[in-house]
Amino acid sequence: MASPVDSLIKLHSRLRCVANGRTDVNALRAQRNGAVRVASAPRPNLPTMDEVARRLPGEPEAGDVPAAKEPPYQKRLSKDVEVNVFVLFNRDNVRTPKLVTRRNGRIGTATATLAQLRTLDGDPSVQLIELGETLRAPDPRIGTSIPGPPADSRHAVLNRGTVKIAGQEVSLDGIGEKILVGIVDVGGIDFAHPDFMDDQGNSRVVAIWDQGGDAFDPPRLTVTGGKTGPSTGYGSEIGKADIALALSEAQAARVSPHDLAPQSQRMAASHATHVASIAAGRSGVCKRAKIGAVLISMPEADLDRQASFYDTTRIVDAIEYLFMLADREGCEGVSINISLGTNGGAHDGSELISRWIDRSLAEPGRSVCVAAGNSGQEAAQFDGDVGFWSGRVHASGRIPAAALRRDLEWVVVGDGKVDLSENELEIWYGAEDEFSVELFTPRTAEGPGRRIGPVGPRQRIENVMLADGTFVSIYNVLSDAKNGDNRISLYLSPFLGQPVKGISAGSWKVRLTGKIIRNGAFNAWIERDDPGRTRIRSHWRLPSFFGPGTFVDNSTLSSLACGPRVIGVANLDEAREMVNVSSSQGPTRDGRLKPEIAAPGTDIVAACGFDPATQWIAMTGTSMASPYVTGVAALMLSLNPRLTAAQIGGIIRRTSNPLPGSSYEWQNGAGFGVIDPQACLREALRIAQPTEDLTPEFTL
């Protein structure tokens, strides 16, 4: 039986998988997929994924799954399931469809029901419709002891005194006051923390857009002439006046200021609070900046996630809001930090989120820093250490000639028997080549695994149900619309019907065979699971990874950090004078030298949010390194607001210092070396000086 999706030709393969699913299947999928949301659950007693996991041990073994009695896809496209999508248009000047809510050149974003995708697909101006990438929850390592407050002198040299340039001294008094530091993160912002207070007792947090909140009205856009435009339509904006009122009334009311200006996220040791403290707290790098925050809605509860969006289209909304907020506050520049990541896509800067950000960064006075990611570990560091599973997400190689083959080992862990999470693998290779692909199920005591395929160029299989209940989809796409290269996408999905059945754990084998070979090089990435959100201490949601003979220990950088104009930041362990073992590595797939820079990110003491008993906490991760660079970029913009993102990145690279034993050459893990903040400030002033005219000396 044909699926209603068969007639839709512009949907990216990941979106096709969702559109092909029944509503009850997508209701469970939405608990783990940030770009899928169910408006109304199809059954009131729908279990959460955690509840499903609790029941798994008593279920029959994998081989006992009965054959499906109905198609594994919708008989019609659902009106109950909504998706966040990017829309790629054919040209810049085509009209914007009504469903598209935000537009930046050829790229738009939309929230649509699956049924509405048919309208977008039929629009002749639309070239591609792609599901937003699910954002992965940050996973810093938390310090085991409670630290004391940072020294008052920390970063003081960057915020007072003078900088000498061209024989003149430029005062640093007041540096950063006209800059907005933007934080895109999760966990809530403790705007009442002492680290965010100015000398008059006012919070320097000027606004919080809580994308999952409902305590206040959604933010309104600012249009030409500074007038207020339409609402963004979702979330809650806590403004400067709301924060000031909460701070002034809380003591008299004997409540927390956060009770008077509530956020949907208020986690002890909040990640967003810690990150903001590093970039712009009184103990941070840019101590006087205004702070604006956007909280991505990433609830802990499965059913709350089912009704939430937390994907890369929300990052687009967050960035555009922070640009608007900077204008509204009369700021001369805005420096934004993103310590969230994804691992999907070509890792070459062609992803639509990266293209959107790059276009926005063409204007001066703007900078975006992105954490490189914590997927750098490739081997166990001690007995029982499984951190390397998150590091073995990349493979690469070359097929030297047609008819030759290359096998990749894809290890699914789960609880040792099954895995309830969806697993995704993408293989990218050049437009000059053509591959076919086969997938082999894990070997068992009864014999070798089953072969699925081969799937040749411009062929696909969708939602094929195996005997153990696993659904397999394989797409072999020529000439991807974003970069012109070829892509093979493989998806392993659990059976989310009744009874729910997980994917068989073990070593799956992916076989690539050359059909037409002129180059033969390929790269593959596994989209990482989000293993830290379940309350069940079991292994059913641990990430899949490449086997020991397959993974390649480089190019593990978050795909968000691969954009040409964003600054990708690695985690420096200052005490050991080396890059932290968990820090993700470059280069990008197209050979660009990212990450650009390493900054302190190991055992960083900063504000501990929403915990009256503990004001400070130490965390480790690229999430801590990136806001350090964000703060430096904010100081640079304060001294020279005309700097572009490209210039800021260039200065940071040019002034960096190599690690001990290294040269000035770019390194996979450390980039161009360790950031030198003082040198960055001097150089920001230097390039604002008039060029020296040597012409008279050479007049003949």
Side-chain angles (χ1 to χ4, degrees):
M1 182 183 295
S3 162
V5 181
D6 286 342
S7 62
L8 305 182
I9 62 173
K10 299 173 183 176
L11 304 190
H12 184 279
S13 54
R14 189 181 299 110
L15 183 53
R16 289 186 66 91
C17 286
V18 175
N20 265 320
R22 297 194 312 263
T23 300
D24 58 342
V25 170
N26 279 323
L28 283 170
R29 174 180 279 133
Q31 296 174 20
R32 300 300 174 208
N33 191 314
V36 181
R37 180 173 70 182
V38 179
S40 58
R43 296 192 308 274
N45 62 344
L46 183 75
T48 68
M49 291 295 274
D50 279 355
E51 291 167 343
V52 169
R54 288 190 183 96
R55 294 203 295 262
L56 269 180
E59 297 288 352
E61 291 299 316
D64 298 332
V65 177
K69 295 181 180 179
E70 56 182 297
Y73 46 74
Q74 286 280 68
K75 296 178 181 178
R76 62 183 59 87
L77 291 170
S78 172
K79 296 180 181 179
D80 295 324
V81 178
E82 293 180 308
V83 289
N84 269 349
V85 296
F86 284 97
V87 180
L88 181 64
F89 295 99
N90 294 318
R91 297 185 303 278
D92 279 358
N93 60 352
V94 297
R95 64 172 182 80
T96 302
K98 291 183 179 179
L99 282 172
V100 174
T101 53
R102 201 180 287 277
R103 178 87 179 267
N104 191 353
R106 288 184 60 206
I107 305 170
T109 59
T111 300
T113 66
L114 293 179
Q116 289 172 325
L117 292 178
R118 192 174 296 281
T119 301
L120 280 176
D121 188 83
D123 192 313
S125 68
V126 172
Q127 187 174 16
L128 175 70
I129 308 168
E130 183 170 276
L131 197 67
E133 292 268 3
T134 299
L135 294 169
R136 188 170 185 262
D139 56 349
R141 190 188 74 222
I142 308 298
T144 56
S145 60
I146 299 176
D152 291 340
S153 60
R154 187 167 76 165
H155 313 312
V157 68
L158 304 176
N159 290 270
R160 63 173 180 246
T162 59
V163 174
K164 294 182 179 180
I165 184 72
Q168 299 180 344
E169 291 189 353
V170 177
S171 173
L172 297 179
D173 294 340
I175 189 172
E177 289 179 348
K178 296 183 179 180
I179 301 297
L180 179 76
V181 168
I183 305 296
V184 182
D185 218 296
V186 296
I189 289 285
D190 187 350
F191 58 79
H193 195 284
D195 208 36
F196 300 135
M197 295 298 177
D198 62 20
D199 292 338
Q200 288 73 45
N202 302 311
S203 178
R204 287 187 293 112
V205 178
V206 296
I208 302 168
W209 181 17
D210 181 2
Q211 290 189 345
D214 58 8
F216 297 88
D217 291 336
R220 304 190 71 86
L221 303 177
T222 300
V223 295
T224 305
K227 297 181 180 179
T228 300
S231 166
T232 58
Y234 69 96
S236 165
E237 183 182 36
I238 306 172
K240 187 190 307 182
D242 302 315
I243 292 171
L245 182 63
L247 289 171
S248 65
E249 298 294 325
Q251 187 172 3
R254 297 184 178 181
V255 296
S256 164
H258 304 292
D259 294 329
L260 302 179
Q263 303 168 52
S264 63
Q265 305 173 50
R266 189 171 159 182
M267 298 173 61
S270 156
H271 190 268
T273 297
H274 197 267
V275 165
S277 174
I278 295 168
R282 292 175 71 99
S283 66
V285 177
C286 188
K287 300 174 183 294
R288 301 183 185 92
K290 298 179 180 180
I291 301 170
V294 180
L295 303 177
I296 304 296
S297 179
M298 199 177 291
E300 288 191 282
D302 287 338
L303 291 180
D304 289 340
R305 283 196 170 200
Q306 177 180 291
S308 298
F309 281 129
Y310 48 99
D311 65 281
T312 44
T313 67
R314 291 311 207 210
I315 294 285
V316 162
D317 289 350
I319 290 173
E320 295 300 322
Y321 169 79
L322 290 169
F323 290 155
M324 179 201 72
L325 179 62
D327 290 340
R328 193 171 79 191
E329 291 292 321
C331 295
E332 295 179 343
V334 54
S335 182
I336 297 173
N337 185 80
I338 304 174
S339 287
L340 304 169
T342 66
N343 205 43
H347 289 72
D348 60 3
S350 66
E351 294 308 303
L352 298 183
I353 175 68
S354 295
R355 289 168 61 174
W356 185 298
I357 294 173
D358 279 359
R359 183 182 174 100
S360 297
L361 290 180
E363 293 187 24
R366 295 176 171 182
S367 173
V368 174
C369 294
V370 179
N374 300 324
S375 294
Q377 184 177 342
E378 54 89 19
Q381 302 295 299
F382 50 84
D383 289 343
D385 180 20
V386 295
F388 66 89
W389 288 354
S390 293
R392 296 183 179 181
V393 294
H394 172 245
S396 62
R398 186 181 299 273
I399 299 175
L404 296 183
R405 303 179 299 184
R406 175 71 185 267
D407 289 348
L408 307 177
E409 182 187 9
W410 185 9
V411 181
V412 175
V413 181
D415 63 356
K417 293 182 179 180
V418 294
D419 180 18
L420 280 182
S421 60
E422 294 190 286
N423 292 271
E424 176 184 347
L425 168 61
E426 282 190 348
I427 302 165
W428 290 85
Y429 62 102
E432 63 274 20
D433 299 323
E434 292 189 18
F435 297 171
S436 67
V437 60
E438 300 164 272
L439 178 66
F440 294 83
T441 63
R443 295 179 61 90
T444 66
E446 286 73 32
R450 175 186 171 186
R451 183 181 72 169
I452 301 102
V455 179
R458 301 193 71 248
Q459 294 180 338
R460 70 173 189 262
I461 63 171
E462 288 184 323
N463 282 0
V464 171
M465 186 177 181
L466 307 184
D468 65 355
T470 301
F471 281 99
V472 173
S473 296
I474 303 175
Y475 302 85
N476 196 337
V477 178
L478 294 183
S479 298
D480 186 276
K482 300 187 295 297
N483 59 11
D485 285 337
N486 302 330
R487 167 179 52 83
I488 295 172
S489 299
L490 301 98
Y491 302 90
L492 303 177
S493 301
F495 178 71
L496 298 178
Q498 292 296 320
V500 172
K501 299 300 298 183
I503 301 163
S504 291
S507 293
W508 295 68
K509 181 168 66 178
V510 179
R511 174 167 291 170
L512 302 175
T513 301
K515 304 289 286 184
I516 298 174
I517 299 297
R518 296 185 177 183
N519 179 296
F522 67 87
N523 283 267
W525 285 275
I526 294 171
E527 178 59 275
R528 290 163 291 192
D529 292 352
D530 179 6
R533 308 299 293 184
T534 179
R535 296 182 182 275
I536 301 173
R537 299 188 63 82
S538 65
H539 294 241
W540 64 278
R541 282 186 49 237
L542 287 172
S544 59
F545 56 91
F546 286 120
T550 296
F551 82 92
V552 176
D553 187 29
N554 60 25
S555 299
T556 55
L557 194 71
S558 163
S559 50
L560 267 179
C562 291
R565 291 293 174 248
V566 303
I567 301 170
V569 186
N571 173 5
L572 171 69
D573 185 338
E574 278 191 296
R576 301 177 67 187
E577 295 187 292
M578 61 185 294
V579 172
N580 191 287
V581 67
S582 66
S583 187
S584 293
Q585 303 174 41
T588 63
R589 175 175 166 263
D590 55 334
R592 284 178 296 112
L593 306 182
K594 283 180 166 286
E596 285 88 346
I597 201 71
T602 301
D603 294 324
I604 303 301
V605 176
C608 180
F610 307 111
D611 187 347
T614 306
Q615 288 196 338
W616 307 99
I617 191 170
M619 296 187 187
T620 294
T622 56
S623 287
M624 286 63 251
S626 183
Y628 186 100
V629 180
T630 299
V632 174
L635 294 173
M636 294 167 67
L637 286 171
S638 184
L639 293 177
N640 185 353
R642 296 179 61 84
L643 288 173
T644 64
Q647 288 176 307
I648 291 170
I651 290 171
I652 287 173
R653 296 196 304 270
R654 185 164 64 248
T655 57
S656 62
N657 295 315
L659 286 165
S662 298
S663 67
Y664 285 101
E665 291 183 334
W666 178 87
Q667 305 288 328
N668 279 2
F672 288 93
V674 180
I675 191 168
D676 185 336
Q678 290 180 278
C680 288
L681 300 191
R682 290 193 297 269
E683 194 68 6
L685 288 169
R686 178 185 172 215
I687 66 171
Q689 303 295 314
T691 57
E692 184 180 359
D693 187 2
L694 301 179
T695 305
E697 299 180 24
F698 292 92
T699 302
L700 300 178

